[in-house]
Amino acid sequence: MAGGALAATKGFRPTSGVWLVLALFLLWEVSARTGMVDSPNWPPLSRVVAALVRDTLSGEIPMLVGSTLARMFAGLAAGTLAGIAAGLLFGASTLAQRVLGPTVELIRPIPIPAVIPPLVLFLGLDNGMKITVAAVTAFFPLLTNTAQGLRAVEADQLAMARTFGVPAWRRLFRVTLPAILPYVMAGLRVALALALVTTVVAEMIAGEQGVGHYLVLMQFAGRAEEMYAAVLVLAFLGYALNRGFLWVERRSIAWYFATGRDG
């Protein structure tokens, strides 16, 4: 029990970033209450939190978050599978890299919001468009990291496996895939954050549901408390997803972190 209390206080060390967050929240409240920011569109944090609690208890916020997460994870799964498959092809085949590389490098820098209007024309405003946006977002980090990881597989490991007569399929599962898994996880962490951002952007531009649509709706309605509550939801949601992913990553590739190669 004492160990649990000690762990709980570690996040509140004098050098902890939690204090900065609390200070910014306090500044928000004070700036609104004292007139430092004199605007009807800058409500005190306490009123924003009250709106957040009210909409959460009513079930509206959980429904919006669930809707957004469902689209995001569907797109993330599709983009991850496609990105890993393409990355393995790029990393294993110089011909594929030479033929398809220029096309990938031409498409990759296009900002995702610029892709949404054409996707609306092709896919409409339904979930398919938003899932496709998240999938395209996740595709490129997974492709790049998987290909890089495959090229980084140590030749000595593969040569030793061949020397001992290990079949190609066993070399794939025993040597290659474990070696590239840290790269894949790094790409997936980037893709996770980007998929949330672009899903919300798609909901804001052409949505009828989700946190993004709710945020824009509250802005047009002039309901500042609810609008900022949606922003807080997205901030805490992004933080929670990142912390959850780090927890999964630490356990799925514990051997990698045990070597100290994570830096």
Side-chain angles (χ1 to χ4, degrees):
M1 189 170 181
L6 180 61
T9 59
K10 284 185 177 180
F12 291 91
R13 295 189 303 265
T15 57
S16 172
V18 174
W19 292 110
L20 177 59
V21 174
L22 294 176
L24 291 174
F25 281 157
L26 178 61
L27 179 61
W28 180 350
E29 181 74 17
V30 171
S31 65
R33 293 287 183 185
T34 62
M36 291 171 57
V37 179
D38 187 14
S39 171
N41 296 318
W42 184 245
L45 176 63
S46 56
R47 282 166 49 189
V48 173
V49 172
L52 175 59
V53 172
R54 181 180 65 249
D55 290 346
T56 299
L57 294 177
S58 71
E60 185 174 14
I61 291 296
M63 183 180 66
L64 293 169
V65 170
S67 176
T68 296
L69 288 179
R71 299 185 190 96
M72 185 204 77
F73 279 118
L76 182 66
T80 296
L81 293 175
I84 291 175
L88 290 173
L89 179 62
F90 268 55
S93 171
T94 304
L95 177 62
Q97 184 180 0
R98 188 165 57 245
V99 172
L100 301 176
T103 302
V104 170
E105 292 304 319
L106 182 67
I107 297 174
R108 187 164 61 93
I110 299 176
I112 291 298
V115 178
I116 294 176
L119 287 178
V120 170
L121 294 179
F122 281 98
L123 302 174
L125 301 177
D126 294 333
N127 288 337
M129 182 274 292
K130 303 174 189 69
I131 291 173
T132 301
V133 167
V136 172
T137 302
F139 175 79
F140 291 104
L142 268 301
L143 184 156
T144 303
N145 278 47
T146 302
Q148 182 181 357
L150 194 58
R151 296 188 198 104
V153 175
E154 296 182 14
D156 291 344
Q157 293 177 332
L158 293 174
M160 183 179 298
R162 292 193 194 96
T163 300
F164 284 98
V166 178
W169 67 271
R170 292 193 67 181
R171 290 200 301 269
L172 174 65
F173 287 99
R174 294 293 184 88
V175 179
T176 304
L177 291 183
I180 69 172
L181 190 55
Y183 292 87
V184 172
M185 295 299 286
L188 187 56
R189 183 182 180 189
V190 174
L192 178 66
L194 293 178
L196 175 62
V197 171
T198 53
T199 300
V200 172
V201 169
E203 291 172 346
M204 293 173 70
I205 294 176
E208 297 177 351
Q209 301 174 351
V211 180
H213 174 67
Y214 176 82
L215 196 157
V216 173
L217 198 63
M218 293 302 102
Q219 177 213 346
F220 286 134
R223 295 166 60 178
E225 289 89 351
E226 287 81 359
M227 182 188 71
Y228 286 112
V231 174
L232 285 181
V233 167
L234 291 174
F236 290 126
L237 183 59
Y239 179 81
L241 287 172
N242 183 62
R243 297 300 298 181
F245 181 84
L246 290 176
W247 184 86
V248 172
E249 183 183 43
R250 284 279 176 180
R251 282 152 182 78
S252 61
I253 52 174
W255 55 266
Y256 178 76
F257 290 103
T259 63
R261 286 182 289 178
D262 60 322

